[in-house]
Amino acid sequence: MGVAVASTNKYQACIDACTRCAQACYECLKACMNEPDAAARKNCMAILVECAMICQQASAYMSFEAQYAKDLCKLCANICEKCAQECDMFKDPHCQTCADACRECAQECRKMAGV
């Protein structure tokens, strides 16, 4: 169900996955910044920011049913997959949970975009 309208957005599952993924990425970023090996996580932390930002944008595009929402979701899926790969390199629970959220988001984005 939409937030401001009574109808259900046809992309709601993907919007929800993108929102969860963005939150997971920001939470993981904060946790990684406080890890003793934070310097070794530089690439991971960079992609976490990119992933969170593209997920937020994709969610906005889908909420608006924007013309290029499917194109943006294809890109979002690719970035989410890369982020999951980076997070998988670290065995902390926050990284593993984030990787799972990224993979789920990528799957929903591909489904939404019809790929």
Side-chain angles (χ1 to χ4, degrees), residues 34 55 63 86 111:
N34 292 317
C55 286
S63 295
E86 288 289 329
K111 190 185 314 177

Side-chain angles (χ1 to χ4, degrees), residues 7-87:
S7 64
T8 301
N9 188 306
K10 61 185 173 183
Y11 305 130
Q12 195 61 53
C14 193
I15 291 168
D16 293 343
C18 284
T19 301
R20 280 190 308 278
C21 187
Q23 181 177 353
C25 286
Y26 285 129
E27 289 174 0
C28 189
L29 173 64
K30 174 73 172 168
C32 283
M33 288 168 46
N34 292 317
E35 291 290 345
D37 64 342
R41 298 170 185 249
K42 184 177 71 171
N43 291 337
C44 187
M45 289 191 284
I47 194 71
L48 282 165
V49 172
E50 287 185 49
C51 189
M53 292 174 73
I54 194 76
C55 286
Q56 289 175 299
Q57 196 63 50
S59 178
Y61 268 54
M62 287 182 285
S63 295
F64 184 67
E65 295 186 24
Q67 180 177 352
Y68 293 101
K70 289 184 179 186
D71 295 317
L72 189 64
C73 281
K74 288 178 192 175
L75 177 60
C76 186
N78 292 337
I79 292 172
C80 285
E81 284 294 336
K82 177 64 177 167
C83 192
Q85 290 170 4
E86 288 289 329
C87 284

